[in-house]
């Protein structure tokens, strides 16, 4: 039940300066109440009126959760003295507060706000100090008024403070005229929030500001879905549906936005200016790297033969061709499925360039992929972000990332090899190319049949489709790999061939089950008991991969079940509820968005930080090591011993990861994977989704569900159609 309380702020127990979350003690007559909420502008000694409701915290007992508040003006001399002497006004202590109140009485606050120069009449206050006190009082009053004004439009205190800090006194004009500007300027305010505010303010549905903002928002949403542009007609249709405005009305505004260079229109395709120039500049930089290096043919073959003899290996024709292409060209692409010898080929390239005393850098898009690359090559690999020396972002967006390594401070390397290229989006590719000077060899390795990157673009596929760069595709499955049914069946799936489900395999199993509850029980038994023994792995290392998020076999339901059995509640495990469920110490979790501003540290003895860095990325897996309810912090340990502290306000960036979507597992490898298959939308249940899932397993794959669903996925060649034009841009530059 919603209640109202009021009293003096006796003590501020805790405050998060970033988001304003505060724990304070409120003196309300004879009672002392613990209040929690966003109290950014509240200080000790102030008289507070708050609305909200009581709740009981497991550790700290009864608390009042404030949803709204206002600071009330003290009503008498004693209260005024108490307020001013509390430190609420910088530069005024208890003694000085007493003298001010004795001099001006009940008129004190008016004097401080309207005639602050009169404060200089009091001993201990100079003219300058009087002015500073006056400025403080005005600022506090302005912020308080702004928070009250913004609350009318359903804006939370935390967001209200962001808005006030951005616009100060101009916020009133902006909100009344064009609240859509908030979506452009402030992180955390999207189009939908701005549109809600606009509706409350009374802005018309066909307002120019609304339509322009809606068009740009639709393009931005398309980018979040992986597209670089939208066809004009599709953009108009999507925006019309979003805004409830006729398509005919929208066309005029597109032209206006093109004139303002907010968008680029080319061949009936509409790009944001940023997307268009990202593709164009990426194509240009690729062409600059695409040079032929002078090397004697005899020398190359002889050097490869020497490496083969020394390492006791024999390369096939295509592997030799790949190594030679890497030596001859400034840019080359190596592609192939599992078991086709990509790792052996990369290792031979490394040995070749080492023999030439070249500096070699290895990198991959994710920490897990980089770790695998290090294990496979014996050569230190890093994430691309770390290679480029991530330094921060303007906003929490891949489009605004800043790297220390760029065109002004390029990478000092002779050879750069990037693995898992299918995961690299256009933003990261552009940043990488910006830091590479022509003459440096760039070798890109990946499986073009994997799912495309989470971020926008389809870089690897577009580069191969352009047919402008040397590409070597490895297709032969080597003897050792051919003994693995995971590898053999992955290639059969890719080729659309029939896969035997007779369970005569040592590493590829199919358990026919047609009942959802039975499948759930099977998954639980596999993860908790059978597969850890079979693969010599821990239960938390076994990964459940589902094609979908919703439904009884979706990620959300499976995580709830697996958490309940693998990490049940206990008196020694702290918990924290969030919107999607409960986080518990010991839980396996995943970061679900790129956050370039999150700090991590590798801790040595006694928990002291030995190394620090920035950036936690979409798909990173970790374990919750501690939950501190009082400090409102949750700590996750990621791979490589990286510890990250999350405030409770940041927990929407995490989700349980006992089960993940197949998309999220891209670039990762696990000892064993369990894949539930029992129906699903045709657009989702595709051949390359199944191929990606199967190739995530190192030792064992278990599919459970319907054989019909399995076969239907093999037969379904539908691929995610992304609107990209990088291959076209490359082709145009190649012809020039």
């Amino acid at each position: 039940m919603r209640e109202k309380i009021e009293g003096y702020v006796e003590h501020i127990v805790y405050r998060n300066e970033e988001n304003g979350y505060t724990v304070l003690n409120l003196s309300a007559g004879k009672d002392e109440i613990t209040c929690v909420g966003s109290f950014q502008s509240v200080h000790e000694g102030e008289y507070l009126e708050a609305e909200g409701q009581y709740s009981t915290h497991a550790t700290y007992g009864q608390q009042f959760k404030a949803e709204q508040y206002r600071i009330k003006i003290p009503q008498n001399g004693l209260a005024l003295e108490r307020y001013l002497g509390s430190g609420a006004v910088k530069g005024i202590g208890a003694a000085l507060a007493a003298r001010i109140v004795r001099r001006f009485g009940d008129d004190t606050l008016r004097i401080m706000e309207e005639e602050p120069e009169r404060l200089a009449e009091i001993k201990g206050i100079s003219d300058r100090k009087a002015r500073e006190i006056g400025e403080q009082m005005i600022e506090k009053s302005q912020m308080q008024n702004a928070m009250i004004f913004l609350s009318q439009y359903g804006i939370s205190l935390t967001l209200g403070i962001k808005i006030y800090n951005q616009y100060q006194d101009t916020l009133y004009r902006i909100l009344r005229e064009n609240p859509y500007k908030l979506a452009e300027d402030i992180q955390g305010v999207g189009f939908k929030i701005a549109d809600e505010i606009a509706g409350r303010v009374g802005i018309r549905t066909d307002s120019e500001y609304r339509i322009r903002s809606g068009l740009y928002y639709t393009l931005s949403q398309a980018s979040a879905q992986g597209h670089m542009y939208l066809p004009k007609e599709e953009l108009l249709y999507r925006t019309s549906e979003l805004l409830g405005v006729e398509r005919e009305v929208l066309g005029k505004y597109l032209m206006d936005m093109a004139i303002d260079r907010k968008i680029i229109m080319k061949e009936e395709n509409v790009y944001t200016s940023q997307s268009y120039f990202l593709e164009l500049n990426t194509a240009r930089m690729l062409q600059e790297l695409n040079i032929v290096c002078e090397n004697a043919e005899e020398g190359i073959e002889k050097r490869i033969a020497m490496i083969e003899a020394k390492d006791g290996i024999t390369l096939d024709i295509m592997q030799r061709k790949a190594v030679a292409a890497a030596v001859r060209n400034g840019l080359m692409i190596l592609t192939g499925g599992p078991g086709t010898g990509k790792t052996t080929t990369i290792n031979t390239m490394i040995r070749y360039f080492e023999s030439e005393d070249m500096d070699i850098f290895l990198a991959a898009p994710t920490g897990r992929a980089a770790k695998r690359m290090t294990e496979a090559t014996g050569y230190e690999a890093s994430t691309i972000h770390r290679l480029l020396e991530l330094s921060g972002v303007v906003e929490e967006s891949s489009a605004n990332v800043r790297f220390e390594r760029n065109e002004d401070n390029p990478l000092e390397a002779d050879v750069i090899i990037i693995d898992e290229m299918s995961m690299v989006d256009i933003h990261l590719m552009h940043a990488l190319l910006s830091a590479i000077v022509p003459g440096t060899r760039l070798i890109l390795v990946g499986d073009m049949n994997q799912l495309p990157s989470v971020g926008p673009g389809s870089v690897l596929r577009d580069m191969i489709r352009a047919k402008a760069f040397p590409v070597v595709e490895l297709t032969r499955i080597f003897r050792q790999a051919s003994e693995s049914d995971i590898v053999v069946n992955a290639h059969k799936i890719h080729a659309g061939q029939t896969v035997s489900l007779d369970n005569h395999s040592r590493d590829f199993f199919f358990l026919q089950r047609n009942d959802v509850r039975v499948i759930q029980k099977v998954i639980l038994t596999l993860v908790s008991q059978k597969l850890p023994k079979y693969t010599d792995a821990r239960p938390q290392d076994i990964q459940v991969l589902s094609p979908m998020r919703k439904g009884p076999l979706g990620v959300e339901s499976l995580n709830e079940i697996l958490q309940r059995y693998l990490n049940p509640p206990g008196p020694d495990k702290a918990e924290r509820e969030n919107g999607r469920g409960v986080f518990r110490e010991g839980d396996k979790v995943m970061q679900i968005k790129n956050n370039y501003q999150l700090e991590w540290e590798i801790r040595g003895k006694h928990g002291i930080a030995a190394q620090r860095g920035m950036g936690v990325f979409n798909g990173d897996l970790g374990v919750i090591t501690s939950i501190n309810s009082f400090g409102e912090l949750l700590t996750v340990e990621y791979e490589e011993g990286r510890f990250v502290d999350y405030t409770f306000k940041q927990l929407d960036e995490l989700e349980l990861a006992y089960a993940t979507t197949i998309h999220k597992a891209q670039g990762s490898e696990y000892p064993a994977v369990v894949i539930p298959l029992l129906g699903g939308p045709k657009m989702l249940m595709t051949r390359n989704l199944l191929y990606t899932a199967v190739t995530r397993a190192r030792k064992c794959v278990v599919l459970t569900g319907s054989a019909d669903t399995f076969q239907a996925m093999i037969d379904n060649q539908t691929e995610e159609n992304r609107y990209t034009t990088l291959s076209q841009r490359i082709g145009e530059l190649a012809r020039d």
Side-chain angles (χ1 to χ4, degrees), residues 202-223:
I203 288 176
R204 290 168 46 191
T205 56
D206 61 351
S207 146
E208 178 184 350
Y209 295 131
R210 184 171 187 260
I211 290 172
R212 287 172 67 117
S213 184
L215 285 163
Y216 200 82
Y217 172 76
T218 304
L219 281 177
S220 302
Q221 287 298 102
S223 176

Side-chain angles (χ1 to χ4, degrees), residues 7-75:
Y8 290 100
V9 180
E10 282 287 351
H11 178 55
I12 291 179
V13 179
Y14 167 81
R15 172 171 283 153
N16 183 324
E17 295 297 340
E18 194 177 300
N19 57 33
Y21 181 85
T22 304
V23 180
L24 57 83
N25 293 334
L26 194 76
S27 178
K30 295 178 181 178
D31 300 323
E32 189 166 285
I33 303 167
T34 301
C35 287
V36 297
S38 187
F39 296 107
Q40 185 107 18
S41 57
V42 171
H43 298 87
E44 289 176 356
E46 291 185 319
Y47 195 84
L48 199 65
E49 183 184 85
E51 282 186 51
Q53 51 194 338
Y54 285 98
S55 65
T56 303
H57 192 280
T59 307
Y60 304 108
Q62 194 180 54
Q63 297 178 334
F64 186 84
K65 294 181 88 169
E67 294 161 17
Q68 284 185 317
Y69 77 91
R70 68 187 183 98
I71 299 165
K72 295 184 76 172
I73 297 169
Q75 298 298 312

Side-chain angles (χ1 to χ4, degrees), residues 127 182 374 451 454 504 585 613:
D127 289 341
L182 273 65
T374 299
L451 294 167
V454 174
H504 292 159
E585 289 176 351

